[in-house]
PDB file of all heavy atoms in Angstrom:
ATOM      1  N   HIS A  41      -3.253 -30.643 -17.574  1.00  0.00           N
ATOM      2  CA  HIS A  41      -2.766 -31.142 -18.865  1.00  0.00           C
ATOM      3  C   HIS A  41      -3.583 -32.353 -19.319  1.00  0.00           C
ATOM      4  O   HIS A  41      -3.953 -32.475 -20.485  1.00  0.00           O
ATOM      5  CB  HIS A  41      -1.284 -31.492 -18.732  1.00  0.00           C
ATOM      6  CG  HIS A  41      -0.648 -31.932 -20.023  1.00  0.00           C
ATOM      7  ND1 HIS A  41      -0.462 -33.259 -20.347  1.00  0.00           N
ATOM      8  CD2 HIS A  41      -0.189 -31.226 -21.076  1.00  0.00           C
ATOM      9  CE1 HIS A  41       0.103 -33.340 -21.546  1.00  0.00           C
ATOM     10  NE2 HIS A  41       0.285 -32.122 -22.008  1.00  0.00           N
ATOM     11  N   GLU A  49       2.283 -18.869 -20.617  1.00  0.00           N
ATOM     12  CA  GLU A  49       2.930 -17.977 -19.650  1.00  0.00           C
ATOM     13  C   GLU A  49       3.041 -16.591 -20.249  1.00  0.00           C
ATOM     14  O   GLU A  49       3.741 -16.364 -21.214  1.00  0.00           O
ATOM     15  CB  GLU A  49       4.305 -18.505 -19.237  1.00  0.00           C
ATOM     16  CG  GLU A  49       4.883 -17.647 -18.118  1.00  0.00           C
ATOM     17  CD  GLU A  49       6.111 -18.233 -17.454  1.00  0.00           C
ATOM     18  OE1 GLU A  49       6.219 -19.475 -17.370  1.00  0.00           O
ATOM     19  OE2 GLU A  49       6.965 -17.449 -17.041  1.00  0.00           O
ATOM     20  N   TYR A 131       0.787 -16.656  -5.357  1.00  0.00           N
ATOM     21  CA  TYR A 131       0.705 -17.514  -6.536  1.00  0.00           C
ATOM     22  C   TYR A 131      -0.734 -17.851  -6.872  1.00  0.00           C
ATOM     23  O   TYR A 131      -1.544 -18.112  -5.984  1.00  0.00           O
ATOM     24  CB  TYR A 131       1.456 -18.820  -6.289  1.00  0.00           C
ATOM     25  CG  TYR A 131       2.877 -18.774  -6.777  1.00  0.00           C
ATOM     26  CD1 TYR A 131       3.838 -18.077  -6.065  1.00  0.00           C
ATOM     27  CD2 TYR A 131       3.257 -19.418  -7.951  1.00  0.00           C
ATOM     28  CE1 TYR A 131       5.151 -18.030  -6.518  1.00  0.00           C
ATOM     29  CE2 TYR A 131       4.567 -19.370  -8.399  1.00  0.00           C
ATOM     30  CZ  TYR A 131       5.502 -18.679  -7.680  1.00  0.00           C
ATOM     31  OH  TYR A 131       6.793 -18.631  -8.131  1.00  0.00           O
ATOM     32  N   ARG A 458      23.792 -35.936  -2.666  1.00  0.00           N
ATOM     33  CA  ARG A 458      23.875 -34.510  -2.354  1.00  0.00           C
ATOM     34  C   ARG A 458      25.028 -34.287  -1.385  1.00  0.00           C
ATOM     35  O   ARG A 458      25.058 -34.881  -0.299  1.00  0.00           O
ATOM     36  CB  ARG A 458      22.557 -34.058  -1.725  1.00  0.00           C
ATOM     37  CG  ARG A 458      22.441 -32.568  -1.618  1.00  0.00           C
ATOM     38  CD  ARG A 458      21.119 -32.090  -1.062  1.00  0.00           C
ATOM     39  NE  ARG A 458      21.045 -30.643  -1.287  1.00  0.00           N
ATOM     40  CZ  ARG A 458      20.432 -29.787  -0.503  1.00  0.00           C
ATOM     41  NH1 ARG A 458      19.760 -30.210   0.536  1.00  0.00           N
ATOM     42  NH2 ARG A 458      20.451 -28.497  -0.778  1.00  0.00           N
ATOM     43  N   ARG A 479      22.877 -27.696   8.770  1.00  0.00           N
ATOM     44  CA  ARG A 479      22.496 -28.177   7.450  1.00  0.00           C
ATOM     45  C   ARG A 479      21.718 -29.480   7.536  1.00  0.00           C
ATOM     46  O   ARG A 479      21.334 -30.035   6.522  1.00  0.00           O
ATOM     47  CB  ARG A 479      23.733 -28.406   6.575  1.00  0.00           C
ATOM     48  CG  ARG A 479      24.547 -27.176   6.309  1.00  0.00           C
ATOM     49  CD  ARG A 479      23.838 -26.212   5.386  1.00  0.00           C
ATOM     50  NE  ARG A 479      23.776 -26.706   4.016  1.00  0.00           N
ATOM     51  CZ  ARG A 479      22.662 -26.735   3.286  1.00  0.00           C
ATOM     52  NH1 ARG A 479      21.533 -26.314   3.792  1.00  0.00           N
ATOM     53  NH2 ARG A 479      22.681 -27.164   2.057  1.00  0.00           N
TER      54      ARG A 479
ATOM     55  N   HIS B  41      20.855 -28.622  -6.448  1.00  0.00           N
ATOM     56  CA  HIS B  41      20.481 -29.269  -5.191  1.00  0.00           C
ATOM     57  C   HIS B  41      21.515 -30.327  -4.807  1.00  0.00           C
ATOM     58  O   HIS B  41      21.911 -30.439  -3.642  1.00  0.00           O
ATOM     59  CB  HIS B  41      19.086 -29.896  -5.341  1.00  0.00           C
ATOM     60  CG  HIS B  41      18.568 -30.507  -4.086  1.00  0.00           C
ATOM     61  ND1 HIS B  41      18.643 -31.862  -3.836  1.00  0.00           N
ATOM     62  CD2 HIS B  41      17.980 -29.952  -3.003  1.00  0.00           C
ATOM     63  CE1 HIS B  41      18.111 -32.103  -2.650  1.00  0.00           C
ATOM     64  NE2 HIS B  41      17.708 -30.972  -2.122  1.00  0.00           N
ATOM     65  N   GLY B  44      24.340 -29.226  -2.944  1.00  0.00           N
ATOM     66  CA  GLY B  44      24.096 -28.736  -1.590  1.00  0.00           C
ATOM     67  C   GLY B  44      23.435 -27.377  -1.525  1.00  0.00           C
ATOM     68  O   GLY B  44      23.283 -26.814  -0.443  1.00  0.00           O
ATOM     69  N   GLU B  49      13.177 -18.307  -2.811  1.00  0.00           N
ATOM     70  CA  GLU B  49      12.370 -17.495  -3.735  1.00  0.00           C
ATOM     71  C   GLU B  49      12.004 -16.196  -3.050  1.00  0.00           C
ATOM     72  O   GLU B  49      11.268 -16.168  -2.073  1.00  0.00           O
ATOM     73  CB  GLU B  49      11.109 -18.250  -4.176  1.00  0.00           C
ATOM     74  CG  GLU B  49      10.387 -17.454  -5.254  1.00  0.00           C
ATOM     75  CD  GLU B  49       9.296 -18.238  -5.968  1.00  0.00           C
ATOM     76  OE1 GLU B  49       9.443 -19.465  -6.136  1.00  0.00           O
ATOM     77  OE2 GLU B  49       8.295 -17.608  -6.331  1.00  0.00           O
ATOM     78  N   TYR B 131      14.145 -15.015 -17.920  1.00  0.00           N
ATOM     79  CA  TYR B 131      14.398 -15.897 -16.779  1.00  0.00           C
ATOM     80  C   TYR B 131      15.880 -15.973 -16.453  1.00  0.00           C
ATOM     81  O   TYR B 131      16.709 -16.016 -17.351  1.00  0.00           O
ATOM     82  CB  TYR B 131      13.906 -17.311 -17.099  1.00  0.00           C
ATOM     83  CG  TYR B 131      12.507 -17.573 -16.620  1.00  0.00           C
ATOM     84  CD1 TYR B 131      11.427 -17.036 -17.293  1.00  0.00           C
ATOM     85  CD2 TYR B 131      12.275 -18.349 -15.485  1.00  0.00           C
ATOM     86  CE1 TYR B 131      10.144 -17.263 -16.857  1.00  0.00           C
ATOM     87  CE2 TYR B 131      10.983 -18.584 -15.048  1.00  0.00           C
ATOM     88  CZ  TYR B 131       9.927 -18.044 -15.728  1.00  0.00           C
ATOM     89  OH  TYR B 131       8.663 -18.273 -15.286  1.00  0.00           O
ATOM     90  N   ARG B 458      -4.744 -38.183 -21.777  1.00  0.00           N
ATOM     91  CA  ARG B 458      -5.094 -36.780 -22.006  1.00  0.00           C
ATOM     92  C   ARG B 458      -6.277 -36.729 -22.974  1.00  0.00           C
ATOM     93  O   ARG B 458      -6.194 -37.250 -24.090  1.00  0.00           O
ATOM     94  CB  ARG B 458      -3.893 -36.043 -22.595  1.00  0.00           C
ATOM     95  CG  ARG B 458      -4.091 -34.553 -22.637  1.00  0.00           C
ATOM     96  CD  ARG B 458      -2.874 -33.797 -23.145  1.00  0.00           C
ATOM     97  NE  ARG B 458      -3.092 -32.383 -22.843  1.00  0.00           N
ATOM     98  CZ  ARG B 458      -2.640 -31.370 -23.558  1.00  0.00           C
ATOM     99  NH1 ARG B 458      -1.909 -31.602 -24.624  1.00  0.00           N
ATOM    100  NH2 ARG B 458      -2.919 -30.134 -23.221  1.00  0.00           N
TER     101      ARG B 458
END
Side-chain angles (χ1 to χ4, degrees):
Chain A
H41 184 261
E49 186 169 328
Y131 266 75
R458 191 177 192 212
R479 298 290 289 131
Chain B
H41 184 261
E49 187 168 327
Y131 266 75
R458 190 177 193 211

